[in-house]
Amino acid sequence: MEEIQSQSEHYRSSSSSASSPASRVPSSNFFYLRKPGSLRQPISFEDSPEWEDTDVDVRVEEGGDSINAATTPVSPSLSKLNSGSLPSPQLPEGAAVARKIAGASVVWKDLTVTIKGKRKYSDKVVKSSNGCALPGTMTVIMGPAKSGKSTLLKAIAGRLHPSAKMYGEVFINGAKTHMPYGSYGFVDRETTLIGSLTVREYLYYSALLQLPGFFCQKKSVVEEAIHAMSLGDYANKLIGGHCYMKGLPSGERRRVSIARELVMRPRILFIDEPLYHLDSVSALLMMVTLKKLASTGCTLIFTIYQSSTEVFGLFDRICLLSNGNTLFFGETLACLQHFSNAGFPCPIMQSPSDHFLRAINTDFDRIIAMCKNWQDDNGDFSSVNMDTAVAIRTLEATYKSSADAAAVETIILRLTEKEGPLLKSKGKASDATRIAVLTWRSLLIMSREWKYYWLRLILYMLLTLCVGTVFSGLGHSLSSVVTRVAAIFVFVSFTSLLSIAGVPALMKEIKIYASEESNQHSGALVFLFGQLLSSIPFLFLISISSSLVFYFLIGLRDEFSLLMYFVLNFFMCLLVNEGLMLAVASLWQNVFWSVLTLVTIHVVMMLAAGYFRIRNELPGPVWTYPLSYIAFHTYSIQGLLENEYLGTNFAVGQVRTISGFQALHSAYDISPSSNSKWENLLVLFLMAVGYRILVFFLLHFRVRKNVSLHRLCQCNRNSTT
């Protein structure tokens, strides 16, 4: 205790530019200041709400600079939303918030989260956190890196990783219950957007995936989301841009990801790092937009690492974390008073959030240690000349004995003593609707993105022309059989190998699926059907164009039925290869390792396909069983050769002839049966189906492994420490 007091006195003496918050109140140079005298008061909360559903009447006074909310007397006391709150930036005259949302209160009590180590749940990421968020307010969880901000946010939202275990209680409107689909939205730190769609198209397809009902009814929802996030000027611009136009800036991209969740009109919105990778201007615009959204009655809870003074002034409540410990929870300016009471007043020319993080971020200790011998014009290198471990202990001890902590316990007791209305699910779009929407959206994306299939079409045509010209003019003599077998092998093998160019596009599709699946906008089965149906037209276009060029350059038999079988066989080969690429991409989730794995698989399959050595002469273990039977090249090449040579005869001398099967038997192992080519086609079809079943399980496993599911988190939600 003597150590803490001595270092606190040393800090006060070293911070000569600092003053108590009360002395700073009259100054008008700081955007975050409230009316004089408010900083001396402890944290204040609204009275315990009477739970009844009501609409929130939100209006913007003409000529004013604050957003006022009025409710009926029986609603949660949103009339006090701006009582002593922070002023909002001036909005355009006559602006109005059209959509009104009945928010919901969120309370977390004694919330502890542990992460499973090698043997047991040992590492406590969040330790006995208490807090609440009320309708129409913005509650921010702030702290340095690895302080437990995102973990606490995900624990409250019920989206923890399966390797994490949660203790404590979470109440929604006073009841220990999970949040049903559509009642809340969650925006991850990094959301995968579709660059080839405009903002309006992206949100419209998102609405079709999320909401039930007719298509025409969802246009108004999309327009409301665009208006709520101030995206009107960007509504018809491509998110990713194109070669003649830049894509959306990072700030607008972040707002699009939030608008995607707003189409469900959630009552609670969780955002992980809304200011991630944003500059100061974009960050202020983002927070003003979220402040306007909160004024409609929505409950906003989000994490933040650091903010400017203007952004800090927009927060209603702050939960300050360090190493999983709650150092403060309450109104934002009361946090300044808390730091002052603990012996760490904020200097006049320093941002509050910078000051908070400087005092509790242990990384600064390393900087001070590195620069302890450095001196500047003002003396010490560090403006806060205290060990952060001591500062953290001081702040935590001061908070636990403060009136702010007691006020938190009081409001938690009031909000949980009586259950309010349960949140209701808004229903989901049917699987058939989602498949149709995903198919149409994927077709639109593939037609606009040259990296999906247009590039592969060009590469296939170039390769086909090269192979066709190299093996042209073979004739139909017995001596041409071996060379034609080589041409068909090269065509099937090299085109399959060339398909690996589509791995980045498939990886992007899987990332989009994972982002949508995390919020229950899609599913593994829906994604597979949508991807399959949308890829069929492009794969068929590639197969028929490449087959026609190769077929006539090589000089294969001039019969329409044989040509159609060649096209169908090659199409099935591409379909199998597409499924293989999806499976490998789903397994690795990394472009480099996916490409490396696919190249290895293709090389091994080419060796076992029966060209370099006839299939029945391959070594029994491994190469014959199972490699030659799982290599789709084998069945494709066999079918094409049987299609070309069965039923033909070749003259040997002047009086003797041999069948096509006999002529081919020494070069490649085929069956003499006339139905064998259809059997090979059936095997290719079954392999295409089998690979997609494998992809289904891989996607399902990946989602269960890497995306927190509600059911897994709700099982731990009712358990207490």
Side-chain angles (χ1 to χ4, degrees):
M1 198 62 192
E2 294 178 357
E3 178 190 5
I4 294 176
Q5 291 178 354
S6 63
Q7 295 218 40
S8 297
E9 292 297 331
H10 185 60
Y11 167 74
R12 290 190 183 97
S13 62
S14 66
S15 299
S16 58
S17 62
S19 61
S20 64
S23 65
R24 294 166 49 184
V25 170
S27 173
S28 60
N29 296 329
F30 290 89
F31 182 75
Y32 59 83
L33 292 181
R34 302 187 189 178
K35 53 189 179 183
S38 62
L39 289 176
R40 295 185 179 274
Q41 303 297 326
I43 179 174
S44 61
F45 289 93
E46 286 77 2
D47 296 332
S48 178
E50 297 291 336
W51 296 114
E52 287 189 18
D53 288 333
T54 181
D55 287 333
V56 182
D57 182 19
V58 183
R59 63 184 183 276
V60 179
E61 294 180 353
E62 295 186 2
D65 62 350
S66 63
I67 300 175
N68 296 323
T71 62
T72 58
V74 296
S75 66
S77 182
L78 293 178
S79 60
K80 293 187 177 182
L81 172 61
N82 291 311
S83 177
S85 64
L86 307 171
S88 302
Q90 184 173 356
L91 297 176
E93 183 178 355
V97 182
R99 180 65 189 170
K100 305 163 189 176
I101 302 173
S105 70
V106 181
V107 173
W108 59 98
K109 182 178 179 183
D110 294 329
L111 200 62
T112 299
V113 179
T114 59
I115 300 296
K116 188 175 183 180
K118 294 182 178 180
R119 295 184 178 180
K120 59 181 181 179
Y121 292 91
S122 56
D123 299 329
K124 289 186 178 181
V125 182
V126 179
K127 306 169 186 177
S128 300
S129 178
N130 295 289
C132 66
L134 299 179
T137 63
M138 294 198 306
T139 302
V140 59
I141 304 172
M142 182 181 289
K146 298 181 180 180
S147 61
K149 304 185 300 294
S150 298
T151 303
L152 177 58
L153 184 74
K154 293 178 181 179
I156 299 170
R159 297 168 63 94
L160 282 175
H161 193 276
S163 63
K165 192 172 184 180
M166 187 183 79
Y167 304 90
E169 297 171 314
V170 176
F171 298 86
I172 308 298
N173 280 349
K176 289 195 295 183
T177 180
H178 71 281
M179 290 173 287
Y181 175 80
S183 64
Y184 81 104
F186 190 97
V187 183
D188 285 307
R189 182 179 303 175
E190 293 184 357
T191 304
T192 304
L193 303 177
I194 304 176
S196 55
L197 298 179
T198 65
V199 172
R200 181 172 279 110
E201 288 173 342
Y202 177 75
L203 296 179
Y204 182 59
Y205 284 117
S206 297
L208 294 178
L209 288 173
Q210 298 178 54
L211 298 171
F214 297 102
F215 291 176
C216 58
Q217 298 175 346
K218 301 169 186 177
K219 292 184 178 179
S220 61
V221 178
V222 172
E223 296 304 322
E224 288 177 10
I226 292 175
H227 173 74
M229 296 309 298
S230 303
L231 290 168
D233 295 338
Y234 303 93
N236 295 319
K237 293 185 178 180
L238 291 175
I239 296 175
H242 51 73
C243 55
Y244 302 107
M245 182 179 68
K246 292 183 178 180
L248 295 185
S250 56
E252 279 64 38
R253 286 172 175 262
R254 198 74 178 117
R255 282 189 278 154
V256 170
S257 63
I258 297 174
R260 187 187 72 171
E261 299 304 313
L262 293 183
V263 299
M264 285 295 293
R265 294 169 177 169
R267 300 177 66 174
I268 308 170
L269 184 61
F270 301 92
I271 310 176
D272 192 9
E273 295 282 0
L275 307 185
Y276 189 61
H277 285 172
L278 299 188
D279 56 42
S280 58
V281 176
S282 300
L284 180 58
L285 179 59
M286 169 67 77
M287 296 314 302
V288 171
T289 305
L290 292 179
K291 186 71 174 179
K292 183 179 70 172
L293 176 63
S295 70
T296 65
C298 183
T299 305
L300 264 66
I301 308 175
F302 53 87
T303 63
I304 197 170
Y305 174 74
Q306 199 169 14
S307 68
S308 64
T309 304
E310 291 81 4
V311 170
F312 180 82
L314 294 173
F315 303 150
D316 292 302
R317 291 179 183 83
I318 180 173
C319 178
L320 193 62
L321 296 180
S322 180
N323 296 325
N325 298 300
T326 302
L327 304 185
F328 179 80
F329 181 87
E331 292 188 359
T332 49
L333 292 187
C335 191
L336 284 170
Q337 182 68 59
H338 170 64
F339 270 72
S340 179
N341 294 338
F344 312 107
C346 180
I348 293 178
M349 301 304 295
Q350 189 171 8
S351 168
S353 64
D354 290 342
H355 175 66
F356 298 159
L357 295 178
R358 170 60 191 89
I360 65 176
N361 193 344
T362 56
D363 291 337
F364 280 100
D365 292 339
R366 293 185 297 173
I367 299 177
I368 295 175
M370 292 170 57
C371 309
K372 61 182 179 180
N373 296 325
W374 291 6
Q375 297 288 324
D376 54 24
D377 296 337
N378 297 322
D380 291 336
F381 176 79
S382 174
S383 62
V384 179
N385 208 1
M386 171 177 274
D387 183 6
T388 54
V390 178
I392 292 171
R393 291 199 300 269
T394 305
L395 290 167
E396 186 177 8
T398 304
Y399 172 68
K400 289 182 178 179
S401 60
S402 66
D404 296 326
V408 173
E409 295 180 0
T410 301
I411 191 62
I412 288 177
L413 181 62
R414 291 179 179 178
L415 289 175
T416 56
E417 63 184 1
K418 184 179 179 181
E419 293 187 4
L422 297 178
L423 301 185
K424 299 178 181 179
S425 176
K426 298 182 179 180
K428 300 180 181 180
S430 65
D431 288 342
T433 301
R434 288 182 169 182
I435 291 174
V437 171
L438 281 180
T439 301
W440 184 254
R441 188 183 72 177
S442 297
L443 282 171
L444 183 61
I445 295 171
M446 293 172 185
S447 63
R448 293 179 179 177
E449 285 277 0
W450 62 275
K451 294 180 181 179
Y452 272 79
Y453 290 104
W454 299 123
L455 176 63
R456 290 168 62 181
L457 177 62
I458 295 173
L459 294 177
Y460 272 55
M461 292 300 296
L462 291 176
L463 176 63
T464 304
L465 286 172
C466 293
V467 175
T469 51
V470 167
F471 291 96
S472 61
L474 294 180
H476 294 278
S477 63
L478 183 60
S479 60
S480 67
V481 172
V482 175
T483 308
R484 189 167 278 112
V485 170
I488 292 177
F489 171 80
V490 169
F491 174 73
V492 172
S493 301
F494 285 18
T495 51
S496 300
L497 190 62
L498 205 59
S499 297
I500 299 177
V503 169
L506 291 178
M507 195 71 67
K508 187 175 181 180
E509 284 193 47
I510 294 174
K511 289 182 178 179
I512 294 172
Y513 155 76
S515 177
E516 294 176 339
E517 170 64 23
S518 64
N519 288 341
Q520 303 182 53
H521 300 167
S522 182
L525 190 63
V526 172
F527 166 75
L528 282 178
F529 273 105
Q531 197 277 337
L532 174 63
L533 294 176
S534 59
S535 64
I536 283 177
F538 293 95
L539 292 178
F540 189 76
L541 176 63
I542 291 175
S543 63
I544 195 171
S545 58
S546 302
S547 298
L548 287 174
V549 174
F550 178 82
Y551 198 90
F552 290 107
L553 282 179
I554 297 300
L556 300 180
R557 293 167 62 186
D558 191 10
E559 294 183 22
F560 181 76
S561 60
L562 301 181
L563 173 61
M564 288 299 98
Y565 178 87
F566 191 99
V567 173
L568 188 59
N569 182 292
F570 187 53
F571 170 73
M572 293 304 303
C573 181
L574 294 180
L575 209 58
V576 173
N577 195 31
E578 196 83 359
L580 175 62
M581 290 194 299
L582 268 174
V584 173
S586 302
L587 179 64
W588 284 114
Q589 295 294 304
N590 180 277
V591 174
F592 173 78
W593 289 109
S594 297
V595 171
L596 183 63
T597 303
L598 285 169
V599 170
T600 304
I601 291 175
H602 276 277
V603 170
V604 172
M605 286 185 175
M606 289 164 61
L607 291 175
Y611 171 74
F612 298 102
R613 190 173 182 183
I614 297 177
R615 185 177 178 183
N616 55 17
E617 296 181 0
L618 287 171
V622 180
W623 289 105
T624 302
Y625 307 101
L627 288 181
S628 67
Y629 284 90
I630 63 175
F632 64 90
H633 305 67
T634 304
Y635 304 100
S636 179
I637 296 171
Q638 277 185 356
L640 294 178
L641 292 176
E642 290 164 353
N643 181 64
E644 175 67 18
Y645 287 107
L646 290 183
T648 60
N649 294 294
F650 293 92
V652 180
Q654 296 181 351
V655 295
R656 182 169 173 256
T657 61
I658 60 174
S659 65
F661 170 76
Q662 293 175 323
L664 191 63
H665 188 66
S666 60
Y668 204 89
D669 186 17
I670 65 172
S671 173
S673 173
S674 58
N675 296 324
S676 59
K677 68 177 184 179
W678 300 108
E679 294 173 357
N680 287 317
L681 194 64
L682 177 61
V683 172
L684 289 175
F685 173 78
L686 294 177
M687 292 181 75
V689 174
Y691 276 126
R692 277 162 176 79
I693 293 175
L694 176 62
V695 172
F696 172 79
F697 285 107
L698 288 174
L699 289 175
H700 186 71
F701 174 78
R702 179 193 179 279
V703 169
R704 185 171 57 185
K705 191 74 175 177
N706 300 315
V707 181
S708 56
L709 297 177
H710 296 278
R711 292 188 296 270
L712 293 173
C713 296
Q714 299 306 329
C715 293
N716 297 326
R717 175 163 285 182
N718 295 327
S719 60
T720 58
T721 54

